[in-house]
Amino acid sequence: MYNISMKKQYDVIVIGAGHAGIEACLASSRMGCRTLLITMDADKIGFMSCNPAVGGIGKGQLVKEIDALGGEMAKATDAAGIQFRILNKSKGPAVWSSRAQVDRKLYNKYMVKTVKRQERLDVLEDTVERVFFKKNRVGGVLTKSGMKIKTPCVVVASGTFLNGLIHLGKERTPGGRVNERPAKKLSFSLRDAGINLMRFKTCTPPRIDGKSVDYSRMRIQPGDK
């Protein structure tokens, strides 16, 4: 558990501390709502598990919209950026898109610090196993540790952890990330509430061992000034 004193009731509860969860909890607390962020590991707030890039084709515009609305993603990217490029520069301006490669550890540290110091925002290190309802409206959440916390608003931003399944070749292992457990009971709770669940597949290419690469034979691709 990170921030200040835990309460039994909040205006907003956010489940998950990835990109979406961070923006949701910061936005609600900055609007004056008593907000609780629940995450399995508070030290991994804003942890970039796959490709350490922000933006890109179709996504760079979203980052700029978040920035225009007062979000934190672009600020964290400025603080942790390694290389910045405008993609598709050989084509027309309508398809140009910003992309930044970032330092994963710096981005993570920036977001942990930002969330920790935010007023009206508490952080609970736990796993949500159920969203409960009262008269067909959200009433709160139940956690793995046995806590029952009331709220009229729950934001589910659990990403790949929601009943996550990892495929490695023909092997399948439950998990949100490698060596991290999924949120299975939360998924079942949403299904029992009448929400239609579908599987969203993300693909990660094989990694190359940097020690096996002869960089002298590669062409440098500099970032934009």
Side-chain angles (χ1 to χ4, degrees), residues 50 53 77 95 97 164 195 208:
C50 190
T77 301
V95 293
S97 190
I195 296 175
I208 298 174

Side-chain angles (χ1 to χ4, degrees), residues 23-68:
E23 300 296 353
C25 71
L26 290 177
S28 63
S29 57
R30 289 168 178 173
M31 291 170 65
C33 299
R34 293 173 300 167
T35 305
L36 176 65
L37 173 64
I38 304 179
T39 176
M40 293 180 181
D41 189 345
D43 289 329
K44 289 189 175 180
I45 292 172
F47 184 75
M48 304 176 76
S49 59
C50 190
N51 180 18
V54 173
I57 305 299
K59 295 176 287 185
Q61 287 84 350
L62 291 176
V63 178
K64 292 183 178 182
E65 289 174 2
I66 292 170
D67 190 38

Side-chain angles (χ1 to χ4, degrees), residues 133-139 193:
F133 299 82
K134 288 186 177 180
K135 296 181 180 179
N136 294 322
R137 298 184 68 87
V138 171

Side-chain angles (χ1 to χ4, degrees), residues 34-187:
R34 293 173 300 167
T35 305
L36 176 65
L37 173 64
I38 304 179
T39 176
M40 293 180 181
D41 189 345
D43 289 329
K44 289 189 175 180
I45 292 172
F47 184 75
M48 304 176 76
S49 59
C50 190
N51 180 18
V54 173
I57 305 299
K59 295 176 287 185
Q61 287 84 350
L62 291 176
V63 178
K64 292 183 178 182
E65 289 174 2
I66 292 170
D67 190 38
L69 292 168
E72 204 67 29
M73 180 182 280
K75 296 176 184 177
T77 301
D78 284 343
I82 297 172
Q83 187 195 67
F84 297 82
R85 285 179 61 83
I86 301 295
L87 305 183
N88 278 347
K89 282 297 288 289
S90 63
K91 301 177 182 179
V95 293
W96 290 359
S97 190
S98 301
R99 186 201 65 197
Q101 300 291 343
V102 303
D103 184 310
R104 297 166 67 201
K105 291 182 179 180
L106 283 179
Y107 192 95
N108 167 233
K109 287 181 180 180
Y110 178 99
M111 285 304 195
V112 168
K113 182 179 179 181
T114 300
V115 168
K116 187 176 180 180
R117 69 187 181 190
Q118 177 62 41
E119 296 180 359
R120 292 180 294 276
L121 175 59
D122 292 348
V123 179
L124 173 64
E125 196 171 77
D126 206 339
T127 300
V128 175
E129 295 195 334
R130 182 184 162 204
V131 177
F132 66 86
F133 299 82
K134 288 186 177 180
K135 296 181 180 179
N136 294 322
R137 298 184 68 87
V138 171
V141 302
L142 296 174
T143 71
K144 186 177 182 179
S145 66
M147 296 185 69
K148 182 177 182 180
I149 311 169
K150 297 179 181 179
T151 182
C153 178
V154 173
V155 178
V156 180
S158 49
T160 57
F161 283 78
L162 193 62
N163 198 21
L165 193 63
I166 298 173
H167 296 262
L168 288 174
K170 294 183 178 181
E171 296 181 7
R172 297 189 299 173
T173 307
R177 281 190 293 250
V178 173
N179 298 323
E180 294 187 61
R181 66 186 187 277
K184 298 189 72 171
K185 291 187 177 180
L186 174 59
S187 183

